[in-house]
Amino acid sequence: MSTVWERVTNMLSKALWKKDYKQAKLLLWLMPAAGFLFLVFNRMNELILSPANMKWKLQFINKGSDTATIYSFGSEFTYYRIALAVLALGVAVLLIGMERRGLHQDFTFSLPFKRTQIYLNKWLLGVLFILGSVLFTNALDVSVILLSPYHDYFTLSVHVREVFRSTLILTAWYTLVLFAGTFTGGALTQILLSLVVSVLPMGLKSMLGSFLSVYWPGYRELLNPVIRYYWHYLSPQVLVTNGSYSPTSLYLFVISAVYILIFLGAGLYAYSKNKPENNGKAILFPGLEPYFLWSAVVCGACFTGMVGKNFTAPYYQYQQNGASLYAYGLAFLLGGAIVYFVLRFLLKRRFKFI
């Protein structure tokens, strides 16, 4: 038992905690402020500060008292979750990407701590503020509802589920963007990679569907409809912005938990292996550059092929001469070539401004 406690206290070193907190304290404290602004204030305006809206609510509730609710099936929590996700991205960039500038990372690595311990401290700092912000925001939201004329329609299970849901989803998102910082050489590339990955599963579905619709029109019959429906929920962007409480909620919880486990482990490994001399490069690991390059080329080619096919669709939709195939193929080759030469140029250079 004492050994476990010693590991925990060592991991939460005061020196590391103070250093990381000082780097990101502005964005960290903006989290509860954003929760108040985007959820609590909106709830106050809806239930207390807006007499016209209050009168409409009362009339609506009186018409159907058995099914009346003051909640919007979870959608009212979407805006504050998006705000916290944006701030979590900023915190991750300050703790990883911006630290690579100057000699800040050299100072961090010179401290008598393992790199895995340093990384875990950064992760825990963000997760604790996410949890605290979600709890604080929902506690204020509950207070507003209980003090409003609609306190009889308060439902505790909605808020319990929301605390669990938002904490898990935002932790998964923060874990992902923090990992992006261990893979890239600067703040700008960390942001770009995070944004790309956030929509990548949904984008892959669209690009693959466009490719198969041109070269294999009957592909939809071979795909399970359930897989087609749930696939886009793999996108972190959908996890954050999806506001409805539906049967997919359990699926979203599972996906979030898997993201946390995978990207936390990957981040710990990458942070312990990256070399400071590669700072400023787009990718910190030279051995992975060819895989990254060709993956980006294929995605870029498929994306431009999809755009080319959709752009020229009005001109060939009534024709049966293979125009869609030629439009897709030309855009595919052109887009792939552009991405290849641009990325090859960028990967060979070091940029101080990122």
Side-chain angles (χ1 to χ4, degrees), residues 133-352:
S133 300
V134 172
L135 288 173
F136 171 78
T137 301
N138 279 272
L140 288 182
D141 190 38
V142 169
S143 301
V144 169
I145 295 174
L146 292 177
L147 293 173
S148 74
Y150 308 99
H151 54 84
D152 291 337
Y153 300 94
F154 166 72
T155 306
L156 179 61
S157 61
V158 171
H159 296 275
V160 172
R161 183 164 47 180
E162 170 56 26
V163 168
F164 181 67
R165 173 192 176 104
S166 286
T167 300
L168 194 60
I169 289 175
L170 290 171
T171 299
W173 168 246
Y174 178 71
T175 306
L176 170 62
V177 297
L178 201 66
F179 161 74
T182 67
F183 187 77
T184 56
L188 180 60
T189 47
Q190 181 182 1
I191 294 173
L192 292 175
L193 182 61
S194 299
L195 295 178
V196 170
V197 173
S198 70
V199 298
L200 186 60
M202 189 166 52
L204 287 175
K205 177 187 175 184
S206 299
M207 291 186 293
L208 182 61
S210 180
F211 176 84
L212 293 177
S213 68
V214 174
Y215 295 99
W216 189 12
Y219 80 98
R220 289 182 179 274
E221 300 175 359
L222 300 178
L223 290 179
N224 190 315
V226 176
I227 296 177
R228 293 204 305 265
Y229 175 76
Y230 284 102
W231 179 267
H232 74 285
Y233 285 103
L234 293 173
S235 295
Q237 175 263 330
V238 175
L239 293 178
V240 172
T241 60
N242 184 276
S244 61
Y245 289 121
S246 63
T248 61
S249 295
L250 179 60
Y251 180 79
L252 300 185
F253 294 152
V254 173
I255 291 299
S256 298
V258 171
Y259 273 154
I260 292 172
L261 293 175
I262 291 177
F263 288 109
L264 179 59
L268 286 169
Y269 179 80
Y271 195 75
S272 65
K273 297 296 182 180
N274 65 46
K275 298 180 180 180
E277 56 266 28
N278 291 326
N279 289 347
K281 293 183 177 180
I283 302 298
L284 287 176
F285 301 95
L288 296 179
E289 285 184 2
Y291 303 99
F292 176 80
L293 173 63
W294 286 108
S295 298
V297 167
V298 171
C299 289
C302 289
F303 176 76
T304 53
M306 180 179 66
V307 172
K309 170 181 172 291
N310 294 338
F311 181 76
T312 58
Y315 303 100
Y316 62 73
Q317 60 180 345
Y318 299 113
Q319 300 179 16
Q320 303 295 329
N321 57 3
S324 62
L325 189 151
Y326 296 125
Y328 184 95
L330 180 61
F332 181 94
L333 294 175
L334 182 61
I338 293 174
V339 172
Y340 174 80
F341 289 110
V342 170
L343 272 185
R344 192 176 180 186
F345 172 81
L346 294 176
L347 289 174
K348 289 184 177 181
R349 277 150 182 82
R350 191 188 304 268
F351 301 94
K352 294 183 179 181

